[in-house]
Amino acid sequence: MSTPDPTTLFTSIVGSAGVSHTDAGPLAQRHMTEVTPASRAECVEIVRAAHRERIALFVRGSGSELRLSEYASPAALLCTTRLDQVIEHAEGDLTFSAEAGLSLNAAQALLRPHGQRLALAPRAPSATLGGIMARAADGWTRKSCGLVRDQILGCEVVLGDGRVVHSGGRVVKNVSGFDLCRLFTGARGAWGVVLSLTLRLRAVPQQRRVSLHAASDLAAAFATAHALNASLPDAEVVRVRVVNAAHGTTYAVLLSLAGPAARVEEAVASADDLAGSATELALAALHDGGTPQCVVEVLPADTAAATRALLAYGAGGVIDADVATGTVEFMAPRAPEWDPTALSALAHELRGLEPLVSFPAHPESLRWQRAEFGAVDAANAALLRRLAQRFDPRGIFEPGLHSWK
Amino acid sequence: MPSAEFFAALRSIIGPERCITDPGLLLAYECDGITHLRTTPSAAVLPESREEVQALVRLCATHGVPITGRGAGTCLSGGATASAGGILVVFTRMKRILKVDAANRLVVVEPGVVNARLSETLRPLGLAYMPDPSSQTACTLGGNVGENSGGPHCIKHGATSASVLALEVVLPDGSVVNCGHARGRTAAPDLRGLIVGSEGTLGLVTAITLHLERIPRHELTLLASYRDMRSACEGVSAVIAAGILPSALEALDDRTIAALEASGKPSGYPRDAAAVLLLEFDGEASAVRAEAEAASALLRNAGAITLEEATDSEQRKRLWKGRKGAFGAMGRLAPDLYVMDTVVPRSKLAEVLPQIGRICDQLGLRLANVFHAGEGNLHPNISYDGRNPDEVKRVIEAGHQIVELCLAAGGVLSGEHGIGTEKRDYMPLMFGADSLSAMRDLREVFDPQTLFNPDKLLPTPRICAESGFPGKPRTRP
Ligand SMILES: Cc1cc2nc3c(=O)[nH]c(=O)nc-3n(C[C@H](O)[C@H](O)[C@H](O)COP(=O)(O)OP(=O)(O)OC[C@H]3O[C@@H](n4cnc5c(N)ncnc54)[C@H](O)[C@@H]3O)c2cc1C
Ligand SMILES: Cc1cc2nc3c(=O)[nH]c(=O)nc-3n(C[C@H](O)[C@H](O)[C@H](O)COP(=O)(O)OP(=O)(O)OC[C@H]3O[C@@H](n4cnc5c(N)ncnc54)[C@H](O)[C@@H]3O)c2cc1C
């Protein structure tokens, strides 16, 4: 019996309005059926049909990091953007449950009038909650509120074989059974589609000041940043920012202070004492420079060394080095040539730092993984593969995209 | 019972003095903090290195002998007891602090390090390991990882999982996997997070990398007392809903205060208080002050009859005295104490607590509540006499009704003590068939022979039929 055409198959589930083709838009060369379920139930049906008919599925949230380069046939793109319902905003409990396709921006807009927020801040402006979870897309809230994995209280996932699995709950503390929420955080779309999730909420801080303090050179900038990080333990963000423009390179410390008004005023005074006069910036300045060409994560004490490595590698743009978390982001207006020679040079510069290196602006980069960039080792990969065989026995999810698969 | 050949091999790996098989000595290993669930291990072995653990696991795999990892055995869900015919691998001799990296605020420890000992070691460096189970002077970090333990100060900084950066794990085939990384993030799905809280079923943890916080510069403790628990719970909900994040938010009820008075170690809490809340704030002085003032107003508004504040350590200790002594005092009320652990949404506390009281009253049981109110994490404590079979039956029934009540209120089975054998057969109340089968798959991926803590955590049809306490298998409606 021949495999039915994905378009026909999925139209029978979601109707013709939910099915289109990728060759219309930016993915013109990659012809693929694009299916957009309007409900979680439809999404489950799509996965079950794909499992039955062995159709490969690529999951897409807002598509900020779409990766389709090599795919098996038949294949389809499963878009979660219409899974955008709020399930429950338990205001008094500070928890928020929503479908995975809801965008972070929409969620924050909904929460703001209640003085609440999600402690998530990925650089991708349109990212969906499911995409943030699948990608473990940590951002500048990490120092003050923790990692993405620590924000997720519960989730609902449809596995590759069509089983619908729940983990966690809608309460803030829970050790009931295996913690699949954490397992699925950062798993991308390798085992299943996240249908919905419950997250912790925080109060919007009463006051915030984001400021830039100029420094004479790189060493001075790091010395100031480390001093600020030590003397202001409640600072929200402490970064060194290097801007490599045509007219020369500038060095500065980028600082965000947030909290009760009295505390922020006090901290502002001691920060300005320590770091010199400040230029105030909007919060959005934390995302200056757009999509990073490269992100290097190291132990906090190695932040300066990792920054130097990226500088030595060359190229212009902006480098933001977070001294509290050891995250160094490198933004450039034009993509550098990340050819094998360049990658080897980078690996050489970063030797000894045990870095985790990623290239968010390069969807193809998952296949550039190497041990020197923190790639999954053999023992972990073996377990992950065996899990994939159980959760997605026909391998329908994102074939060819995960180094460990 | 394993063969003589097995025991000989066991001794040759570990040496006779660290391999306990004497029935008299094994009595100490029959149960954990749940004294009702007893099994005698066929041996208790005390390895001193990862290599010894690997050799033990390989031997057990060859002979099909089940293994249960054990730290201090303070577990309150029956998870640290041996399985039939199985051995206990006791980690208390693997107690070295392998590395302290103050610059990156992390430590690497062996699993047998006692929680409080780590904090003592770190204090001179101005650093702290935040998760602080009430059992911290005894319990081990390996056990904390096994249960994803919480504690009074986990509301702000998170339970154990939030502090675990990386784990070295011996798998059931004797191989080793390193999960997570000291820098916090990895390229892989989070196996570290999966293993934390897996109750020794997926692997035996032989080294743990932990994230540390700086010791807060200022701490302020608030004690609010109330004429009734409902008002106290409303105080809790108001503080949480206002987005205030204390570093601790604990509650005690009148029955606990009475137990403290009866124990001859009075709490010093106001005499007419029927409920007491303890809040703590940490951080910079002005922030602590602002939060405490905002919280005080809300607590007063909810009907607090007294509000006491302390910032110096002696005074703070005095306010905490009742909370710290609570378990000991309850232990003196009757020969046995069943410390239950469930969670409800924080807005449901005022509704659920009186109902728990009614359940125990109707069954003629002595209840006292002391709990992590800020997280909705309840500990209904039932004092009883385990020698009285009828009373035991009623305790089991109360446990069951409380679990059903909390689940119906939108809660979960356990907040920090885990499932073990205690709540194993309740799992179908919370999880549907797909979720349970996925968890079984996951376990089989790690442990195809079901060698590690086999009869814990997940129900099997066979086990449901055999279990004694509390186990009434029912399924999710
Ligand atoms: C401007 C920009 C800057 C960025 N900077 C960074 C950075 O600095 N660091 C960093 O780590 N990332 C970065 N990224 C990546 C980005 O943060 C994440 O990709 C984003 O959070 C994903 O959200 P999304 O909805 O766009 O998901 P998509 O890009 O659509 O999908 C991302 C991945 O998640 C999977 N996925 C999405 N939704 C689901 C779901 N419901 N269930 C299962 N799997 C799903 C997809 O299969 C895919 O593998 C950046 C992206 C952009 C555009
Ligand atoms: C008075 C009292 C107060 C308590 N207060 C709290 C509290 O506030 N918060 C809280 O969360 N708990 C509390 N507990 C419960 C208990 O102390 C915790 O669960 C603790 O983490 C158990 O540590 P342990 O060393 O005793 O581990 P054990 O009881 O020996 O073992 C616990 C579990 O971990 C597994 N395990 C042990 N070591 C390893 C290892 N190396 N690798 C893999 N698995 C392993 C065991 O198999 C078992 O499943 C309390 C208990 C008592 C008696």
Side-chain angles (χ1 to χ4, degrees), chain A residues 93-94 136 138 142 149 163-164 166 173 175-176 180 182 229 231 233 266 297 301 354 380 386 390, chain B residues 104 178 181 183-185 190 192 214 217 240 286 346-347 377 414 416 434-435 437 441 444-445:
Chain A
D93 283 314
L94 274 87
D138 286 293
R142 174 175 173 185
R149 67 193 187 204
R163 280 180 291 177
V164 178
H166 296 257
K173 200 174 182 190
V175 290
S176 313
L180 300 177
R182 285 197 167 81
N229 192 37
S231 71
E266 186 184 69
E297 298 172 58
E354 284 192 54
N380 277 276
R386 297 212 298 265
R390 290 301 181 106
Chain B
N104 290 307
N178 288 288
H181 193 278
R183 66 173 115 74
R185 283 165 38 86
D190 187 11
R192 170 215 67 92
R214 284 181 274 225
R217 280 187 240 187
I240 296 299
S286 53
R346 298 171 283 193
S347 56
N377 187 185
S414 169
E416 55 180 23
D434 280 3
S435 304
S437 77
D441 278 354
E444 275 177 35
V445 159

Side-chain angles (χ1 to χ4, degrees), chain A residues 47-386:
Chain A
V47 172
R48 287 181 180 161
H51 170 70
R52 208 173 46 239
E53 306 296 345
R54 297 177 190 271
I55 296 169
L57 289 178
F58 294 85
V59 190
R60 176 195 144 123
S62 82
S64 56
E65 205 193 16
L66 197 55
R67 299 169 296 122
L68 298 171
S69 42
E70 278 168 20
Y71 55 90
S73 181
L77 184 63
L78 171 59
C79 301
T80 64
T81 39
R82 285 178 71 194
L83 302 180
D84 60 355
Q85 299 298 302
V86 174
I87 297 167
E88 183 186 39
H89 172 204
E91 189 179 352
D93 283 314
L94 274 87
T95 63
F96 182 76
S97 308
E99 291 183 337
L102 184 69
S103 79
L104 175 62
N105 285 342
Q108 302 287 39
L110 223 138
L111 295 165
R112 207 170 297 122
H114 302 269
Q116 298 183 335
R117 61 168 176 149
L118 290 163
L120 301 172
R123 272 185 184 261
S126 59
T128 60
L129 299 180
I132 293 169
M133 176 176 174
R135 181 69 169 75
D138 286 293
W140 56 259
T141 47
R142 174 175 173 185
K143 174 175 185 286
S144 55
C145 301
L147 293 158
V148 168
R149 67 193 187 204
D150 296 320
Q151 313 304 318
I152 298 167
L153 303 171
C155 67
E156 177 192 11
V157 177
V158 54
L159 299 179
D161 60 7
R163 280 180 291 177
V164 178
V165 172
H166 296 257
S167 179
R170 294 192 199 167
V171 292
V172 296
K173 200 174 182 190
N174 189 350
V175 290
S176 313
F178 294 128
D179 191 343
L180 300 177
C181 293
R182 285 197 167 81
L183 181 66
F184 285 116
T185 303
R188 301 177 187 254
W191 294 320
V193 187
V194 180
L195 297 169
S196 68
L197 57 166
T198 297
L199 296 140
R200 228 178 250 288
L201 295 177
R202 306 273 176 156
V204 171
Q206 200 177 16
Q207 198 165 313
R208 174 181 281 122
R209 186 190 75 159
V210 182
S211 57
L212 197 68
H213 306 257
S216 53
D217 55 29
L218 193 70
F222 271 104
T224 307
H226 282 295
L228 285 169
N229 192 37
S231 71
L232 299 171
D234 54 353
E236 193 171 34
V237 177
V238 189
R239 285 186 195 159
V240 166
R241 175 168 284 182
V242 184
V243 180
N244 205 342
H247 51 273
T249 304
T250 58
Y251 305 91
V253 174
L254 180 63
L255 181 70
S256 175
L257 298 165
R263 170 61 196 152
V264 173
E265 276 153 31
E266 186 184 69
V268 161
S270 49
D272 293 356
D273 264 0
L274 221 156
S277 66
T279 312
E280 284 204 29
L281 301 176
L283 186 60
L286 293 174
H287 284 165
D288 278 355
T291 312
Q293 296 295 341
C294 176
V295 180
V296 175
E297 298 172 58
V298 292
L299 288 173
D302 295 331
T303 314
T307 306
R308 279 196 195 90
L310 281 175
L311 282 176
Y313 177 77
V318 179
I319 293 179
D320 267 357
D322 187 318
V323 299
T325 64
T327 307
V328 185
E329 297 168 302
F330 168 51
M331 280 70 60
R334 260 180 308 114
E337 271 300 312
W338 293 117
D339 56 27
T341 321
L343 293 174
S344 296
L346 181 63
H348 181 75
E349 290 295 339
L350 292 168
R351 70 196 179 278
L353 300 181
E354 284 192 54
L356 177 66
V357 185
S358 56
F359 304 86
H362 299 268
E364 331 270 299
S365 64
L366 275 193
R367 274 172 291 106
W368 304 349
Q369 298 228 351
R370 30 167 102 204
E372 307 100 292
F373 289 171
V376 180
D377 69 19
N380 277 276
L383 284 169
L384 297 173
R385 259 196 311 275
R386 297 212 298 265

Side-chain angles (χ1 to χ4, degrees), chain B residues 56-79:
Chain B
L56 288 168
V57 168
R58 289 200 177 105
L59 176 70
C60 288
T62 308
H63 291 260
V65 175
I67 300 181
T68 298
R70 182 169 166 121
T74 64
C75 176
L76 288 173
S77 54

Side-chain angles (χ1 to χ4, degrees), chain B residues 85 91 114 121 170 176 227 283 325 340 419 421 476:
Chain B
F91 285 98
V114 169
T121 309
V170 174
V176 175
R227 286 232 164 75
M340 273 200 79
I419 301 299
T421 36
R476 197 165 173 236

